[in-house]
């Protein structure tokens, strides 16, 4: 005699509607709220990166149509930010009473020079101006040097999470490069559409398995341009920076190369040669050392494919060319710009070394850092 169960543990059907048992609870509200917040955070990041990129391009190309923001290394020329005329009684901090049509000034927040200056340049310029004035009795322009250093520190701290995420993603890409090479070798001689689709699917499955988001590695590019332009504009428009003579030997308003190759070389111009010897190599070090540390972290990584090797060589060539161009910019720009590049190189070296240590520690901890970033929505 067969018996039928009084109640089935499977879901019951009532017509075309599925009814779950009373002990099967619906999706918790917390999970729904978390999913909604994740979507909101995703779109917020996209909007933020788009805004930063637009502002960066705005600041980059604004000089082509807006003559009022043209800069000059000479005090009392171009666009300047400082205290109102006569406020401190110090010519290096108070804007000049210059009625020249080419001389443009501002002392407070304004939209007259566009959103990039109002939203990004003004806060940095205000910080540098007030800090350098508070320490204006310091010797040899150390007050302005400290002001630039502090501004860089604040901007780097604000962008550290994006930098960390981008670095971790690059690290993951390096670690799975051997597996990607295997996939490329597997489908090397297969050119049909079906094989291409399989290759793409296997690559995406590999990324999904190791939680790799290919485009996350490029996020840092969206903030690099605005950061460069912010510091560059601050250095070239804040009046006390233009009036600084660092260590009483390097004038922020002079161009190193013009002093080296001039009749003033024997009368003090030679000291700018040492400036170039200090600043330019720092650019190369800030690009080479991260690569050396990356090789140390991935000694056991499998060899890359010939295609991947070619791409890496092209990237190295691009980096060397970029460093060379930056060296020329330093040589042909005012000393103040070179000081910024030198401090920026030091920050890059310190940040790269810190990332190197964080990644090594993350490996020994079994990826706990990535788990924490995921909880913060930065994964």
């Amino acid at each position: 005699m067969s018996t039928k169960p009084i109640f089935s543990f499977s879901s019951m059907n009532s017509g075309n509607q599925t009814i779950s048992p009373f002990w099967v609870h619906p999706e918790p509200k917390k999970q729904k709220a978390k999913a909604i917040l994740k979507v909101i955070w995703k779109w917020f990041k996209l909007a933020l990166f788009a805004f930063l990129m637009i502002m960066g391009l705005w600041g980059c190309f604004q000089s082509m149509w807006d003559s009022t923001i043209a800069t000059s290394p000479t005090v009392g020329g171009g666009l300047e930010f400082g205290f109102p005329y006569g406020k401190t009684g110090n010519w290096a901090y108070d804007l000049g009473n210059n009625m020249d049509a080419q001389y443009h000034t501002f002392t407070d927040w304004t939209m007259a020079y566009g959103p990039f200056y109002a939203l990004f340049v003004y806060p940095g310029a205000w910080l540098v101006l007030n800090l350098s004035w508070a320490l204006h009795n310091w010797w040899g322009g150390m007050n302005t040097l400290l002001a630039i250093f502090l501004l860089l520190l604040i901007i780097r701290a604000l962008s550290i999470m994006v930098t960390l995420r981008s670095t971790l993603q690059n690290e993951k890409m390096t670690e799975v490069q051997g597996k990607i090479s295997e996939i490329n070798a597997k489908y090397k001689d297969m050119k049909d559409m079906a094989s291409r689709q399989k290759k793409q699917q296997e690559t995406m499955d590999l990324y999904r398995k190791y939680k790799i988001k290919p485009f996350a590695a490029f996020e840092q590019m969206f903030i690099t341009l605005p950061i460069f332009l912010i510091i560059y504009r601050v250095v070239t428009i804040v009046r006390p920076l233009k009036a600084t003579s660092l260590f009483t030997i390097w004038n922020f308003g002079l161009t190193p190369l013009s002093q080296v190759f001039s009749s003033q070389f024997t009368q003090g111009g030679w000291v700018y040669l040492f400036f170039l010897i200090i600043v330019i190599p720092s650019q190369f070090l800030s690009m080479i050392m991260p690569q050396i540390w990356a090789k140390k972290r991935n000694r056991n990584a499998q060899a890359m494919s010939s295609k991947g090797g070619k791409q890496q060589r092209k990237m190295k060539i691009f980096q060397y060319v970029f460093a060379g161009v930056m060296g020329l910019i330093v040589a042909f720009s005012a000393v103040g710009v070179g000081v910024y590049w030198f401090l920026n190189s030091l920050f890059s070296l310190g940040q790269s070394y810190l990332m190197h240590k964080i990644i090594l520690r993350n490996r020994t901890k079994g990826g706990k850092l990535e788990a924490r970033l995921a909880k913060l929505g930065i994964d």
Side-chain angles (χ1 to χ4, degrees), residues 44-177:
F44 172 78
K45 287 193 296 183
L46 289 173
L48 179 62
F49 287 137
F51 174 72
L52 290 175
M53 197 62 184
I54 291 172
M55 286 294 98
L57 293 173
W58 183 293
C60 185
F61 294 105
Q62 185 180 3
S63 58
M64 295 183 180
W65 73 79
D66 188 359
S67 60
T68 63
I69 56 96
T71 58
S72 171
T74 307
V75 176
L79 178 65
E80 282 191 351
F81 178 79
F83 292 119
Y85 179 74
K87 181 178 179 178
T88 67
N90 190 320
W91 68 272
Y93 293 87
D94 295 349
L95 295 174
N97 190 19
N98 189 345
M99 303 305 294
D100 190 341
Q102 302 299 319
Y103 184 53
H104 302 277
T105 64
F106 69 111
T107 61
D108 209 340
W109 188 89
T110 177
M111 286 292 290
Y113 300 105
F116 181 73
Y117 275 86
L119 300 177
F120 295 94
V121 178
Y122 169 74
W126 180 91
L127 175 67
V128 170
L129 175 66
N130 285 273
L131 182 59
S132 60
W133 170 247
L135 306 174
H136 70 279
N137 289 324
W138 284 23
W139 172 83
M142 292 296 292
N143 57 328
T144 55
L145 190 65
L146 177 62
I148 298 174
F149 180 87
L150 183 60
L151 178 60
L152 269 170
L153 179 63
I154 292 173
I155 293 178
R156 291 279 184 163
L158 292 174
S159 61
I160 187 66
M161 285 302 181
V162 175
T163 303
L164 179 58
R165 169 185 163 92
S166 179
T167 304
L168 288 174
Q169 288 293 321
N170 278 323
E171 193 69 15
K172 287 182 179 180
M173 288 291 290
T174 303
E175 290 175 354
V176 302
Q177 192 64 50

Side-chain angles (χ1 to χ4, degrees), residues 34-35 37-43 45-46 49 160-170 172 207-219 362 367-379:
K34 187 177 180 180
L37 289 174
K38 191 172 183 179
V39 173
I40 294 174
W41 173 245
K42 177 182 177 180
W43 284 104
K45 287 193 296 183
L46 289 173
F49 287 137
I160 187 66
M161 285 302 181
V162 175
T163 303
L164 179 58
R165 169 185 163 92
S166 179
T167 304
L168 288 174
Q169 288 293 321
N170 278 323
K172 287 182 179 180
Y207 288 161
R208 194 176 298 109
K209 178 182 178 181
Y210 290 93
K211 297 181 180 180
I212 295 175
K213 299 178 180 179
F215 293 105
F218 299 96
E219 288 179 354
N362 184 49
K368 288 185 177 181
L369 174 61
E370 295 176 11
R372 292 176 182 175
L373 291 176
K375 288 182 179 180
L376 293 173
I378 310 173
D379 60 325

